Amino acid sequence: MFSVIMAGGSGTRFWPASRERLPKQFLKITSDKTMFEETLERVRRFSSDDCVYTVVGSVHEELVLRISSLDSRQVLVEPIGRNTAACIGLAAIHLARRDPDQPMVVLPADHYVSDIDDFVRTIQSAADAASSGGIVTLGITPTRPETGYGYIRIAGQAESEPGARPGNAYRMDRFVEKPDHATAIAYLADGRHLWNSGIFVFTPRTILAEIDSHLPSLASGLREIDSSLGRDDYGAVLARVYERLDPISIDYGIMERTTTPVLVLKCDFGWSDVGSWQALYELRAGECDDRANLLLANAQAIDSQRNLVYSVSDRLVALLGVEDLMVIDTPDALLVARLDRSQDVKLVYTKLKESHGREV
Amino acid sequence: MFSVIMAGGSGTRFWPASRERLPKQFLKITSDKTMFEETLERVRRFSSDDCVYTVVGSVHEELVLRISSLDSRQVLVEPIGRNTAACIGLAAIHLARRDPDQPMVVLPADHYVSDIDDFVRTIQSAADAASSGGIVTLGITPTRPETGYGYIRIAGQAESEPGARPGNAYRMDRFVEKPDHATAIAYLADGRHLWNSGIFVFTPRTILAEIDSHLPSLASGLREIDSSLGRDDYGAVLARVYERLDPISIDYGIMERTTTPVLVLKCDFGWSDVGSWQALYELRAGECDDRANLLLANAQAIDSQRNLVYSVSDRLVALLGVEDLMVIDTPDALLVARLDRSQDVKLVYTKLKESHGREV
């Protein structure tokens, strides 16, 4: 099957390690490889090398070619970010030229999976269901009342679908925005809400037909791009079309509007979108020292506990008598914050950008 | 009068800003000048330019020549540190060649004084008392039960001495080691104990005579050095003599042993030896932002209070939601510590030196 790694996102929650030019998917935070490389390794478990594609912003094309063994044909470049519907549509017209009926998995480049074998089996089930024209998405069994994720509300089970293992396949009811804390607790209790993983499987033919039906302006733009494929003016057409596209997500642009039943596979493969420094700390808790310090750096912690230290350099970081902090060390900026203020790192980023008139 | 700035000390309490090669007196911590330069400015208030001398370790000779307008004749280099008695003796033999009866003020390069006018008046009084052959030292009226300083116990008043202003001149009883907390409280209450400033005034003739009487081995070494003054083998003789000298302080080597009465001038000119990062924070409290953050850096503090940030570079330091910390940022090492653990920075330094097998 095809894999399409969406690597266009630009995050600020990992500032100062992440910047506009170096978003989270290109950081080595979950291991000594970038999250993009980790994702690439995962998809190669079910897609042959030449069936792996990625969609990136132009600023990251060179980086991706350098850290992956993808050739330039496999790296689709968006001139500007226009959210996931456009990203997936662009990939679909490229893949449709090769085989419109071969399932394509689309997935973000910056997610973490602990049980990769289970992940691979799930994607293979999803591809089975998608190959006959279905739309499949992966919903993650929630393990806490998380307010940082969107949710998928499920309706009845759908075990008769091809690819559905007993007990894990549901019809989608609808996508739900990030809830407040009380609502998240209710979601966790009712068993009808799964975390929205942002992972989808369908054929190029299916998703392009859906775009035709529900996003006519995107569909017309994609037809223009499609007709320029292989021509010298491809880049110019792409830029012109993207310029006028409205940003809209695949969730709301297609999934919420489609009349085709959407199959939700309920998953438990240890998934995280690693949305903050604190999420990273929790994810890698097993690597902490005996006083719960996660030292992803040349660091020495003295009389200190429950701290996260992350450095992109070999610079020595010494902690003395401190608790519950994160120390994020980069060549041009240093962040020292309470770890439980992870969600506010974005605020620091914005504040600094405002006061400096540019990203810092 | 002569001034002799003792700049040979090597401290570790300001690690990682201070290193063996860059001790506290060469840091810009009390202002945007180094403490050495601040001291130099102060002594120029009572010593003409050509009467200012400094004693440094060989590793700092070049640095001192660069940051001061002293010429090489005024920069006396010790091949190895042998504590203050040797340092002062070396200066005294050089100065005795110019004028053995002109008072010399000897003072550490790494102390802070807030009321410089009062300091200058005090030194002038001390020089008056010293020019007739007396030994004078400055004792600081204690303002808190400080356990980090040595003390001078005073005996009766000595108002008849030349240079003694009414009420401020005492006979020295003896020097007292750094006390424990309970003792320091008693010292503060009894009014008979002053902080030992390490500042002395006497003539070269007087101090050399004292060395002759109480430190015969140093005296004989100094005679050897003296006889080589102006000769090509001065450096070689200096090295040979220093190698075999026992390190001893002027306090214990001379002041505790002399039969000449030592005059103590009681001072209130806002003195500090700036012994730790916390001492620096308290010293410069007036420069804090409205949430008591002392930001000696390109720093931004968000929802944070009572922190000290010091950086030797322009690197941005952002604080988020943190309190009572010090963040000391240097190109090759970073320290994040509770500010009230300032006294243990030395411990961090030692621990790192042990684990790395060298200074870090």
Side-chain angles (χ1 to χ4, degrees):
Chain A
M1 76 190 91
F2 294 122
S3 285
V4 177
I5 300 172
M6 297 183 288
S10 69
T12 55
R13 285 179 297 179
F14 282 83
W15 184 87
S18 68
R19 306 290 174 97
E20 284 167 14
R21 293 189 68 91
L22 198 68
K24 181 180 131 204
Q25 60 269 29
F26 300 117
L27 297 182
K28 297 173 182 176
I29 51 175
T30 49
S31 74
D32 56 358
K33 293 179 184 141
T34 65
M35 297 195 78
F36 179 87
E37 289 168 282
E38 294 280 355
T39 305
L40 194 58
E41 276 189 13
R42 274 202 300 280
V43 303
R44 282 183 168 143
R45 295 278 299 269
F46 44 74
S47 286
S48 59
D49 280 359
D50 72 320
C51 285
V52 176
Y53 288 75
T54 183
V55 184
V56 302
S58 51
V59 73
H60 297 123
E61 181 181 8
E62 208 176 308
L63 173 61
V64 161
L65 287 168
R66 194 171 67 241
I67 65 176
S68 72
S69 54
L70 300 175
D71 71 41
S72 60
R73 185 187 53 83
Q74 295 169 285
V75 179
L76 308 179
V77 179
E78 289 184 301
I80 189 172
R82 285 297 188 238
N83 213 328
T84 48
C87 169
I88 290 168
L90 178 67
I93 60 171
H94 280 267
L95 301 182
R97 291 286 180 108
R98 285 188 61 185
D99 183 350
D101 296 311
Q102 180 172 307
M104 57 189 277
V105 182
V106 301
L107 74 176
D110 60 349
H111 289 176
Y112 171 84
V113 166
S114 67
D115 186 343
I116 295 175
D117 288 339
D118 189 6
F119 172 76
V120 169
R121 279 192 301 272
T122 305
I123 295 291
Q124 280 160 341
S125 298
D128 289 344
S131 56
S132 55
I135 296 176
V136 187
T137 186
L138 271 49
I140 313 292
T141 308
T143 53
R144 58 181 186 272
E146 175 65 56
T147 57
Y149 295 153
Y151 285 71
I152 304 170
R153 184 180 301 161
I154 51 179
Q157 284 200 312
E159 293 185 16
S160 60
E161 289 291 328
R165 282 180 285 167
N168 82 328
Y170 297 84
R171 299 233 164 259
M172 185 191 84
D173 178 4
R174 66 181 200 82
F175 282 85
V176 183
E177 300 267 8
K178 291 176 186 176
D180 61 25
H181 188 65
T183 310
I185 289 174
Y187 286 176
L188 185 62
D190 71 15
R192 291 178 53 225
H193 290 83
L194 305 176
W195 290 339
N196 178 5
S197 70
I199 303 173
F200 297 94
V201 190
F202 31 60
T203 63
R205 189 189 303 280
T206 300
I207 194 64
L208 288 172
E210 293 291 335
I211 292 173
D212 271 341
S213 304
H214 305 291
L215 297 170
S217 144
L218 174 58
S220 114
L222 291 175
R223 273 191 297 274
E224 257 189 86
I225 296 167
D226 185 58
S227 64
S228 78
L229 275 181
R231 289 202 325 237
D232 285 350
D233 65 346
Y234 168 77
V237 171
L238 191 71
R240 195 177 62 233
V241 168
Y242 259 75
E243 186 59 40
R244 65 167 197 252
L245 288 179
D246 289 325
I248 187 164
S249 74
I250 190 83
D251 309 27
Y252 298 103
I254 302 293
M255 301 301 151
E256 286 277 79
R257 299 173 186 183
T258 183
T259 53
T260 310
V262 175
L263 188 69
V264 184
L265 299 188
K266 187 176 173 182
C267 307
D268 297 280
F269 44 64
W271 172 93
S272 168
D273 86 339
V274 198
S276 69
W277 287 112
Q278 188 166 23
L280 180 69
Y281 174 79
E282 287 160 8
L283 198 67
R284 299 184 69 171
E287 297 166 57
C288 283
D289 69 13
D290 57 4
R291 297 187 68 179
N293 297 295
L294 180 62
L295 305 176
L296 306 175
N298 175 20
Q300 191 129 358
I302 300 170
D303 295 348
S304 296
Q305 47 202 350
R306 298 182 306 276
N307 301 286
L308 165 64
V309 181
Y310 175 87
S311 177
V312 299
S313 78
D314 277 343
R315 202 161 75 115
L316 175 70
V317 181
L319 304 183
L320 170 64
V322 297
E323 299 181 348
D324 302 304
L325 296 183
M326 55 181 167
V327 176
I328 314 299
D329 177 38
T330 75
D332 60 347
L334 167 70
L335 172 66
V336 178
R338 277 186 63 92
L339 194 49
D340 63 8
R341 295 290 300 268
S342 276
Q343 295 297 337
D344 296 325
V345 169
K346 201 183 169 80
L347 182 146
V348 177
Y349 176 88
T350 308
K351 192 158 179 164
L352 288 170
K353 191 169 179 175
E354 276 170 20
S355 69
H356 286 71
R358 58 174 175 79
E359 187 196 56
V360 288
Chain B
M1 75 191 89
F2 295 122
S3 285
V4 177
I5 300 172
M6 296 182 288
S10 70
T12 54
R13 284 179 297 179
F14 282 83
W15 184 87
S18 68
R19 306 290 175 97
E20 283 167 14
R21 293 190 68 91
L22 197 68
K24 181 180 131 204
Q25 59 270 30
F26 299 117
L27 297 182
K28 298 173 179 175
I29 50 175
T30 48
S31 73
D32 56 359
K33 293 178 184 139
T34 64
M35 297 194 78
F36 179 87
E37 289 168 282
E38 294 281 353
T39 304
L40 194 58
E41 276 189 14
R42 274 201 301 279
V43 302
R44 282 184 167 143
R45 295 279 299 270
F46 43 73
S47 285
S48 59
D49 280 358
D50 72 320
C51 285
V52 176
Y53 288 74
T54 183
V55 185
V56 302
S58 52
V59 73
H60 298 123
E61 180 180 12
E62 208 176 310
L63 173 61
V64 161
L65 287 168
R66 195 171 68 240
I67 65 176
S68 74
S69 54
L70 299 175
D71 70 42
S72 58
R73 186 187 51 84
Q74 296 169 283
V75 178
L76 307 179
V77 179
E78 290 184 300
I80 190 172
R82 284 296 189 238
N83 213 332
T84 49
C87 169
I88 291 168
L90 178 67
I93 60 172
H94 281 267
L95 301 182
R97 292 284 181 110
R98 284 189 61 184
D99 183 350
D101 296 312
Q102 180 172 308
M104 58 189 276
V105 182
V106 300
L107 73 177
D110 61 348
H111 289 175
Y112 171 85
V113 166
S114 67
D115 186 344
I116 294 175
D117 287 340
D118 189 6
F119 171 77
V120 170
R121 279 192 302 272
T122 304
I123 295 292
Q124 281 160 341
S125 299
D128 289 345
S131 56
S132 56
I135 296 176
V136 187
T137 186
L138 272 50
I140 312 294
T141 308
T143 53
R144 58 180 186 274
E146 175 66 55
T147 57
Y149 295 152
Y151 285 70
I152 305 170
R153 185 180 301 162
I154 51 180
Q157 284 202 312
E159 293 185 17
S160 60
E161 290 291 327
R165 283 178 286 166
N168 82 327
Y170 297 83
R171 297 233 167 260
M172 187 191 81
D173 179 2
R174 65 179 201 86
F175 282 85
V176 182
E177 300 266 8
K178 293 176 185 177
D180 61 25
H181 188 66
T183 309
I185 289 174
Y187 286 176
L188 185 63
D190 71 16
R192 291 178 52 226
H193 290 84
L194 306 176
W195 290 338
N196 178 7
S197 70
I199 303 172
F200 297 94
V201 191
F202 30 62
T203 63
R205 189 189 303 281
T206 300
I207 194 64
L208 288 171
E210 294 291 337
I211 291 171
D212 271 342
S213 305
H214 305 291
L215 296 170
S217 144
L218 174 59
S220 113
L222 290 175
R223 273 191 298 274
E224 257 189 87
I225 296 167
D226 185 56
S227 64
S228 77
L229 275 181
R231 289 203 323 239
D232 285 349
D233 65 347
Y234 168 76
V237 171
L238 191 70
R240 194 176 62 234
V241 169
Y242 259 73
E243 186 59 38
R244 64 169 198 252
L245 288 179
D246 289 325
I248 187 164
S249 74
I250 189 82
D251 309 28
Y252 298 102
I254 303 293
M255 302 300 153
E256 287 277 79
R257 301 174 184 184
T258 183
T259 54
T260 311
V262 176
L263 189 70
V264 183
L265 299 189
K266 185 177 174 183
C267 308
D268 296 281
F269 43 64
W271 172 92
S272 168
D273 85 340
V274 198
S276 69
W277 286 112
Q278 188 165 25
L280 180 69
Y281 175 79
E282 286 159 8
L283 198 68
R284 299 184 70 170
E287 297 166 57
C288 283
D289 69 14
D290 56 5
R291 297 188 68 179
N293 297 296
L294 180 62
L295 304 176
L296 306 175
N298 174 20
Q300 191 130 357
I302 300 171
D303 295 348
S304 295
Q305 46 203 348
R306 298 183 306 278
N307 301 287
L308 164 64
V309 181
Y310 176 86
S311 177
V312 299
S313 77
D314 277 343
R315 201 161 75 114
L316 175 71
V317 180
L319 304 183
L320 170 64
V322 297
E323 299 181 347
D324 303 304
L325 296 183
M326 56 181 168
V327 176
I328 314 300
D329 177 39
T330 75
D332 60 347
L334 168 70
L335 173 65
V336 179
R338 277 187 64 93
L339 194 48
D340 63 9
R341 296 290 300 268
S342 276
Q343 295 298 337
D344 295 326
V345 169
K346 201 184 171 80
L347 181 147
V348 177
Y349 176 89
T350 307
K351 191 157 179 163
L352 288 170
K353 192 169 178 173
E354 276 170 20
S355 68
H356 287 70
R358 57 173 176 79
E359 187 197 58
V360 288

